[in-house]
Amino acid sequence: QKEVEQDPGPLSVPEGAIVSLNCTYSNSAFQYFMWYRQYSRKGPELLMYTYSSGNKEDGRFTAQVDKSSKYISLFIRDSQPSDSATYLCAMSALGGGSQGNLIFGKGTKLSVKP
Amino acid sequence: NAGVTQTPKFQVLKTGQSMTLQCAQDMNHEYMSWYRQDPGMGLRLIHYSVGAGITDQGEVPNGYNVSRSTTEDFPLRLLSAAPSQTSVYFCASSYMLGRTEAFFGQGTRLTVV
């Protein structure tokens, strides 16, 4: 079992829809949770960052972390065609050495149709 | 503000050839890393460095070498290219290992024939 599981999609929604993206993980030591957005033929860019459990909101985006279930989510409200991209979850553990490295999910490809 | 710069953007190699992928950052970050991205596999860590003179292996290090002589540069060397190394390679840097935003370059698309 891979440490981080993410449904690769693809996911296609109409403009204005609410999008839910999810990742599950197996390593209970993970403390830092991130969502990256990657447009076609570009490098990933940080979208949301959460430390430990809880929710974080930034405009149309909400990130949730449920450590008891080892489950993280990204919600996009009022989705726009410009949100069409691949969304990668990433997480890391507290500590030095290799355990501090970011572990990425496979990414979910989202398409928002006008 | 350049951020993380990777060169070249595209490369075609023949099996057995060697080459170096260049990565430079201008944010004075201590931590740098190399990932490869393959369809259906996500981003997988090849090698990383926590500072000048310090490097370590990631998840898929075989066939690759790295060195870190300066804070700014972190080149990735393919010793003897194989078709299995056809991939998109990303370099990233961050202020702290895993706890802060990782800034990625634009990627190098490598094809080994």
Side-chain angles (χ1 to χ4, degrees), chain A residues 59-74:
Chain A
R60 296 184 294 111
F61 299 89
T62 300
Q64 290 184 349
V65 175
D66 182 349
K67 292 188 71 180
S68 62
S69 302
K70 297 190 179 69
Y71 187 87
I72 71 170
S73 301
L74 177 70

Side-chain angles (χ1 to χ4, degrees), chain B:
Chain B
N1 188 7
V4 178
T5 303
Q6 288 184 238
T7 55
K9 288 187 170 54
F10 303 93
Q11 184 71 48
V12 179
L13 284 180
K14 293 182 178 178
T15 298
Q17 285 185 319
S18 62
M19 79 160 295
T20 299
L21 280 62
Q22 301 291 344
C23 175
Q25 53 94 6
D26 62 359
M27 296 171 281
N28 202 32
H29 287 163
E30 291 294 330
Y31 178 68
M32 297 185 74
S33 55
W34 276 101
Y35 292 88
R36 60 178 289 173
Q37 188 173 38
D38 303 292
M41 300 296 291
L43 283 164
R44 292 184 292 169
L45 183 66
I46 304 171
H47 284 286
Y48 67 100
S49 169
V50 298
I54 307 169
T55 64
D56 206 345
Q57 296 180 353
E59 180 185 357
V60 288
N62 291 341
Y64 307 95
N65 268 357
V66 292
S67 60
R68 184 97 178 269
S69 56
T70 67
T71 299
E72 295 78 20
D73 300 299
F74 190 43
L76 177 72
R77 297 183 191 85
L78 278 70
L79 309 172
S80 177
S84 61
Q85 294 178 304
T86 293
S87 187
V88 181
Y89 291 85
F90 288 100
C91 177
S93 76
S94 61
Y95 177 64
M96 293 180 71
L97 178 63
R99 307 181 202 180
T100 60
E101 178 178 1
F103 293 85
F104 285 83
Q106 292 298 292
T108 295
R109 291 184 172 271
L110 176 68
T111 301
V112 182
V113 297

